[in-house]
Amino acid sequence: MKDTDKCFEVAEKFVSINGEGPLAGEPAVFIRFKGCNLACAYCDTKWASQPDTPAESMSAQDILQYIRTTGIVNVTLTGGEPLLQPAAEDLLNLLGSQDDLHVEIETNGSIPLDPFMMLTNRPSFTMDYKLSCSGMENKMCTANFALLSMKDTVKFVVGSEDDLHRALQIMRRYDLIGRCAIYLSPVFGQIEPKQIVAFMLENRLNGVHVQLQMHKFIWAPDQRGV
């Protein structure tokens, strides 16, 4: 079997807009993979990580062919945790060989990124740092911070004032501001966005963005396929 024939468990695939990140508001094609190694308290895609979740078996070539049928060039690989897929490098090599595609991976911050940094035309990583509201902070792979560039993003999902202070501590400890894009995003319904903005202004957080999940305002917060 060729590497590009290895199969991936795809929980859903769809075209929508990017709801968050540097390309927020732009059309994107989403490939959501089944399975995750974390269990964040606020996770809005827990269904995709359940053992009994139906999944479509697709090869890397199948995934590329689907992307091509959409006519969309922004590609978001998400989950679950996409980097848990056994043949993730094969898929990234294939997608990276397509000069017109912009490939972004949403990863949960617990998976070492070293193996993926040497890929030809590597993807952009949007890496979470899980704060206390997630219950998963002890799972974070902080060595990843040294590998990131302005091509990449670190996202802090905050649910409280304590989370904001912890996020700032991490930004400063790992010298993240100015080295990668940084977003502060509220846990939907747990903290007011204006509280995040006030914190940013109080601490003069130049180079840091507040981010609302756009798709949760356009469609119902729990709607799939958007």
Side-chain angles (χ1 to χ4, degrees):
M1 178 181 291
K2 296 181 295 184
D3 286 345
T4 51
D5 290 332
K6 294 177 181 176
C7 287
F8 300 81
E9 290 191 291
V10 177
E12 66 172 350
K13 57 188 190 298
F14 58 93
V15 173
S16 184
I17 58 164
N18 263 313
E20 51 193 334
L23 299 181
E26 291 192 28
V29 53
F30 291 81
I31 310 294
R32 185 181 305 283
F33 297 97
K34 176 180 175 178
C36 189
N37 59 323
L38 301 184
C40 296
Y42 52 72
C43 181
D44 53 7
T45 54
K46 287 181 180 178
W47 64 270
S49 300
Q50 300 306 310
D52 59 350
T53 295
E56 181 179 359
S57 182
M58 300 180 71
S59 69
Q61 291 286 0
D62 292 334
I63 291 171
L64 176 58
Q65 183 177 359
Y66 168 72
I67 291 167
R68 288 302 186 196
T69 66
T70 69
I72 303 297
V73 297
N74 291 329
V75 179
T76 299
L77 307 180
T78 188
E81 171 51 61
L83 296 181
L84 289 177
Q85 295 291 314
E89 289 185 44
D90 301 328
L91 175 60
L92 295 180
N93 272 322
L94 178 63
L95 297 183
S97 70
Q98 312 297 304
D99 292 338
D100 60 327
L101 297 182
H102 178 276
V103 181
E104 172 193 3
I105 293 184
E106 295 182 341
T107 182
N108 64 25
S110 71
I111 307 295
L113 299 182
D114 313 58
F116 308 101
M117 287 298 177
M118 301 307 294
L119 297 176
T120 301
N121 196 21
R122 75 164 177 88
S124 297
F125 290 98
T126 294
M127 190 186 87
D128 284 3
Y129 183 87
K130 305 296 186 185
L131 297 164
S132 62
C133 62
S134 71
M136 295 285 120
E137 187 172 6
N138 65 333
K139 304 292 186 182
M140 294 297 92
C141 180
T142 56
N144 285 336
F145 288 139
L147 305 174
L148 303 179
S149 71
M150 288 306 297
K151 182 175 185 173
D152 307 303
T153 298
V154 173
K155 181 176 70 174
F156 296 93
V157 178
V158 298
S160 66
E161 186 79 21
D162 286 345
D163 281 346
L164 287 168
H165 286 284
R166 177 60 172 163
L168 180 55
Q169 182 183 50
I170 294 297
M171 291 179 212
R172 289 174 171 168
R173 177 180 299 172
Y174 295 98
D175 195 26
L176 296 179
I177 298 176
R179 199 153 54 79
C180 61
I182 301 175
Y183 288 83
L184 294 171
S185 183
V187 178
F188 195 79
Q190 283 193 25
I191 187 172
E192 290 295 327
K194 62 184 179 183
Q195 188 175 346
I196 299 176
V197 173
F199 181 85
M200 292 171 62
L201 297 179
E202 179 184 352
N203 289 279
R204 306 295 190 266
L205 293 185
N206 298 303
V208 177
H209 305 76
V210 66
Q211 172 177 266
L212 306 182
Q213 292 177 298
M214 189 182 298
H215 52 289
K216 292 189 176 180
F217 293 88
I218 298 174
W219 298 282
D222 57 352
Q223 186 169 333
R224 297 186 191 179
V226 296

